[in-house]
């Protein structure tokens, strides 16, 4: 019986990246960090290097740029991950630009090999490899010579007892024909796309030998702290049977906190459901959402609200919500800035849900959420939202989403942009005209796998909260003259 070789995985120190890689970088692997200029390749390499190096794990960073290493470091020092104490102690920078000017590939290979032998590093970086390729093209060296150089460099880096990285500016057509892509154990592809006035950065793990990586494109941001990766929401197959049966039968109910509405819902929402609350402006959606969170607090459950329309001062102008936030029972995610991504928002939500052990989540509102997204994400809003809701409900939270819905008085719609299928339950708030006055009415459109009231009931918003009143038929019966009801 043969024993499998165990490969140690190195933690990159880049938030979110290890999850994409399948647990970290395989030790002694040969990796390529590729992408167009300005996509964050050097920043990513430095962040990994400064995270992994210490007195026992040293790094060599080769630059083949025309500019000196000091100029590059001047900008890299602005990031919080940069540790000046490690430079020349556990990190050594070597500039190969002079060797490159001579145009002798064998000399460059020998210089790299000598430096590695003398310094005995655990990590080796070569940046920017594309400069070597461009030099070869300019001096009209043959394709065979370049191919040989790339293969030899790749083989050298693979054979060293070190984890190695090539950083290069590649375009997709070049990547498909480059031999270095074949010999690399891991390939990280970085990109940046301009959509109208929005810049979106994405990362893809094209290849990572020996371990399962997260597929697809994932958003990342570059801030003062460095790079942070936000993994794309992925729906996992296979829901535990016991959990599925419990949800489908509505065994556990989550009261909204409004007596008349809970009765209409058949005793409250089934736990782990997503509910869509739609209605025109001013009809009381945020008030009802606040009561939903307050009822959870009354029952010992914490909650989270993500606000996409109102500023913090507007949102916390609700005294009841303000007191719950101040007491630490409700967490608020303020996300009014534009150019958001679904991935980043989901990351923030999950982080706060886990930190607070929240059981109830409010998204107020989907309309504002769509507006805040970068155009690339708003174009596929339904698909991205579907994945986000699925991942949140898998965490066991009950979600209430509000959404603006224009009241046309003659049309009866249940959701904007065809999102009704996303929700397990739908509550619609509307205005109607009765005897020359606008009245608010509410109805439960659906509750999956559960009986619910079909009534249309009047409701009022008071200092005490939402009060559910009579059905329309009862209201019409007690009024003299039986006024005409206009839908």
């Amino acid at each position: 019986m043969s024993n499998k070789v165990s490969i140690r995985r190195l933690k990159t120190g880049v938030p979110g990246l290890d999850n994409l890689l399948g647990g970290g970088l395989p030790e002694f692997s040969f990796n390529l960090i590729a992408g167009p200029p300005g996509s964050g390749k050097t920043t990513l390499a430095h962040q990994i290097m400064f995270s992994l190096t210490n007195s026992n794990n040293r790094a060599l960073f080769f630059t083949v740029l025309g500019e000196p290493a000091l100029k590059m470091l001047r900008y890299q020092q602005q990031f919080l991950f940069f540790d000046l104490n490690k430079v020349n102690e556990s990190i050594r920078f070597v500039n190969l630009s002079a060797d490159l000017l001579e145009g002798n590939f064998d000399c460059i290979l020998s210089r790299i090999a000598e430096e590695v032998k003398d310094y005995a590093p655990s990590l080796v970086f070569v940046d920017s490899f594309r400069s070597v390729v461009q030099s070869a093209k300019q001096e009209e060296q043959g394709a065979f010579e370049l191919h040989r150089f790339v293969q030899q460099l790749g083989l050298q880096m693979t054979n060293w007892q070190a984890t190695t990285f090539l950083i290069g500016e590649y375009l997709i057509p070049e990547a498909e024909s480059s031999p270095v892509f074949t010999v690399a154990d891991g390939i990280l592809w970085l990109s940046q796309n301009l959509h109208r006035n929005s810049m979106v950065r994405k990362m893809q793990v094209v290849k990572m030998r020996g371990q399962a990586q997260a597929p697809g494109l994932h958003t990342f941001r570059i801030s003062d702290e460095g790079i942070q990766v936000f993994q794309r929401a992925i729906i996992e197959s296979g829901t535990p049977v016991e959990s599925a049966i419990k949800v489908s039968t509505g065994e556990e109910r989550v009261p909204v906190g409004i007596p008349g509405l809970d009765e209409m819902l058949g005793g409250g929402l089934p736990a782990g459901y997503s509910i869509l609350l739609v209605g025109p402006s001013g009809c009381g959606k945020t008030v009802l959402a606040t009561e939903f969170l307050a009822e959870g607090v009354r029952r010992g459950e914490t909650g989270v609200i993500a606000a996409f329309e109102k500023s913090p001062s507007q949102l916390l102008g609700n005294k009841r919500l303000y007191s719950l936030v101040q007491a630490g029972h409700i967490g608020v995610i303020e996300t009014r800035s534009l150019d958001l991504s679904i991935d980043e928002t989901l990351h923030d939500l999950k982080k706060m849900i886990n930190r607070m052990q929240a059981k109830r989540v409010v998204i107020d509102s989907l309309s504002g959420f769509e507006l805040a997204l970068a155009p690339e994400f708003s174009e596929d809003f339904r698909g991205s939202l579907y994945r986000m809701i699925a991942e949140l409900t898998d965490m066991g939270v009950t979600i209430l989403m509000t959404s603006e819905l224009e009241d046309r008085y003659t049309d009866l719609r249940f959701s904007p942009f065809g999102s009704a299928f996303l929700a397990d339950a739908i509550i619609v708030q509307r205005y109607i005209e009765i005897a020359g006055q606008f009245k608010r009415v509410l109805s439960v459109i659906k509750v999956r796998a559960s009986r619910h009231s079909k009534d249309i009931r009047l409701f009022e918003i008071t200092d005490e909260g939402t009060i559910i009143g009579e059905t329309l038929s009862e209201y019409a019966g007690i009024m003299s003259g039986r006024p005409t009801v206009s839908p």
Side-chain angles (χ1 to χ4, degrees):
M1 180 178 178
S2 60
N3 295 323
K4 291 184 178 180
V5 175
S6 178
I7 299 177
R8 190 162 73 98
R9 296 177 183 177
L10 307 177
K11 301 300 181 182
T12 62
V14 180
L17 179 57
D18 292 338
N19 291 335
L20 264 60
L21 299 175
L25 285 165
E27 189 177 26
F28 306 143
S29 60
F30 166 43
N31 304 280
L32 177 65
I33 301 176
S39 57
K41 302 180 299 298
T42 301
T43 300
L44 178 63
H46 275 80
Q47 192 167 347
I48 293 172
M49 179 175 66
F50 277 95
S51 173
L52 290 175
T53 50
N54 53 47
S55 57
N56 296 319
N57 295 293
R58 300 189 297 176
L60 263 177
F61 197 101
F62 294 97
T63 62
V64 288
L65 303 171
E67 61 184 17
L70 286 177
K71 182 179 179 181
M72 174 184 62
L73 292 178
R74 179 187 176 201
Y75 294 102
Q76 290 298 313
Q77 287 182 50
Q78 308 309 309
F79 293 110
L80 294 180
F81 63 75
F82 189 94
D83 186 352
L84 189 60
N85 294 325
K86 290 187 176 183
V87 178
N88 295 328
E89 290 293 332
S90 55
I91 297 174
R92 182 180 176 188
F93 290 89
V94 179
N95 196 321
L96 297 175
S97 57
D99 302 82
L100 181 62
L101 289 176
E102 295 179 6
N104 190 324
F105 287 165
D106 290 334
C107 288
I108 298 174
L109 286 172
S110 298
R111 174 76 187 280
I112 292 175
E114 288 173 7
E115 293 285 352
V116 170
K117 182 180 178 180
D118 293 341
Y119 196 66
S122 300
L123 301 160
V124 178
F125 297 81
V126 179
D127 180 24
S128 153
F129 180 70
R130 183 177 165 87
S131 300
V132 178
V133 178
Q134 292 290 66
S135 175
K137 290 181 178 179
Q138 292 170 3
E139 297 180 13
E140 297 183 353
Q141 296 195 29
F144 174 78
E145 187 70 15
L146 175 61
H147 182 84
R148 185 179 67 85
F149 169 78
V150 172
Q151 281 193 323
Q152 285 183 339
L153 179 60
L155 288 173
Q156 275 193 5
M157 299 183 80
T158 302
N159 291 329
W160 292 329
Q161 289 295 298
T163 307
T164 57
F165 301 83
L166 286 183
I167 302 103
E169 297 170 1
Y170 286 92
L171 302 177
I172 293 178
E174 293 176 299
E176 292 176 348
S177 60
S178 176
V180 72
F181 277 69
T182 304
V183 297
D185 300 311
I187 301 173
L188 290 177
W189 189 275
L190 279 61
S191 64
Q192 55 181 0
N193 303 310
L194 182 64
H195 289 258
R196 301 176 196 155
N197 292 324
S198 301
M199 176 66 74
V200 177
R201 299 179 187 271
K202 291 196 173 184
M203 182 182 299
Q204 180 184 7
V205 182
V206 179
K207 176 183 182 182
M208 191 57 59
R209 282 189 176 132
Q211 57 197 55
Q213 63 270 14
L217 295 169
H218 308 269
T219 311
F220 72 94
R221 280 189 182 273
I222 302 178
S223 65
D224 291 340
E225 296 180 356
I227 288 178
Q228 182 173 9
V229 183
F230 306 101
Q231 184 174 344
R232 184 174 65 96
I234 301 173
I235 301 175
E236 301 290 344
S237 60
T239 302
V241 175
E242 295 82 0
S243 175
I245 291 174
K246 190 173 183 179
V247 170
S248 65
T249 58
E251 180 182 325
E252 183 182 347
R253 291 280 174 164
V254 176
V256 176
I258 303 172
L261 180 56
D262 285 328
E263 293 174 9
M264 295 175 70
L265 290 166
L269 286 167
Y273 264 33
S274 60
I275 181 169
L276 182 62
L277 175 61
V278 297
S281 178
C283 64
K285 298 185 295 295
T286 303
V287 172
L288 194 151
T290 301
E291 292 177 286
F292 170 73
L293 292 173
E295 176 64 16
V297 173
R298 193 179 72 81
R299 294 173 174 269
E301 301 172 353
T302 51
V304 172
I305 179 169
F308 294 97
E309 285 187 0
K310 299 178 175 64
S311 67
S313 59
Q314 291 173 325
L315 184 69
L316 298 178
N318 183 316
K319 293 182 180 179
R320 191 177 188 186
L321 181 60
Y322 177 79
S323 63
L324 294 174
V325 172
Q326 285 294 98
H329 301 308
I330 302 296
V332 178
I333 297 177
E334 198 277 305
T335 50
R336 296 190 77 211
S337 61
L338 299 179
D339 297 347
L340 288 172
S341 74
I342 290 276
D343 305 331
E344 186 172 354
T345 303
L346 177 60
H347 170 271
D348 292 344
L349 275 169
K350 290 172 65 177
K351 183 177 180 180
M352 184 168 283
I353 289 169
N354 288 326
R355 179 172 63 84
M356 299 191 65
Q357 294 297 299
K359 295 297 182 183
R360 300 185 182 215
V361 174
V362 167
I363 298 176
D364 186 29
S365 70
L366 294 185
S367 311
F369 188 15
E370 183 185 26
L371 182 64
L373 291 175
E376 178 179 349
F377 296 97
S378 61
E379 290 171 3
D380 185 32
F381 183 59
R382 287 205 312 162
S384 299
L385 188 61
Y386 172 73
R387 291 192 297 271
M388 186 180 81
I389 293 172
E391 189 152 339
L392 289 176
T393 52
D394 281 347
M395 296 176 69
V397 298
T398 304
I399 309 170
L400 189 151
M401 304 170 287
T402 70
S403 186
E404 185 88 6
L405 187 63
E406 181 184 355
D407 199 336
R408 299 181 182 178
Y409 300 102
T410 56
D411 296 342
L412 184 60
R413 292 185 299 151
F414 300 144
S415 72
F417 39 75
S419 60
F421 78 98
L422 295 171
D424 300 306
I426 299 176
I427 298 174
V428 173
Q429 295 175 326
R430 302 182 66 204
Y431 291 114
I432 63 171
E433 182 186 351
I434 299 179
Q437 289 187 332
F438 278 123
K439 297 287 185 180
R440 293 184 177 98
V441 296
L442 174 149
S443 53
V444 177
I445 302 303
K446 79 170 183 178
V447 180
R448 242 175 219 144
S450 176
R451 292 183 180 181
H452 61 86
S453 171
K454 308 298 192 298
D455 292 335
I456 300 176
R457 302 183 75 97
L458 284 90
F459 73 96
E460 293 184 0
I461 299 175
T462 69
D463 293 340
E464 302 299 322
T466 302
I467 306 297
I468 305 297
E470 305 91 348
T471 65
L472 276 183
S473 58
E474 290 172 340
Y475 184 80
I478 62 175
M479 292 185 66
S480 58
R482 303 187 65 83
T484 302
V485 179
S486 302

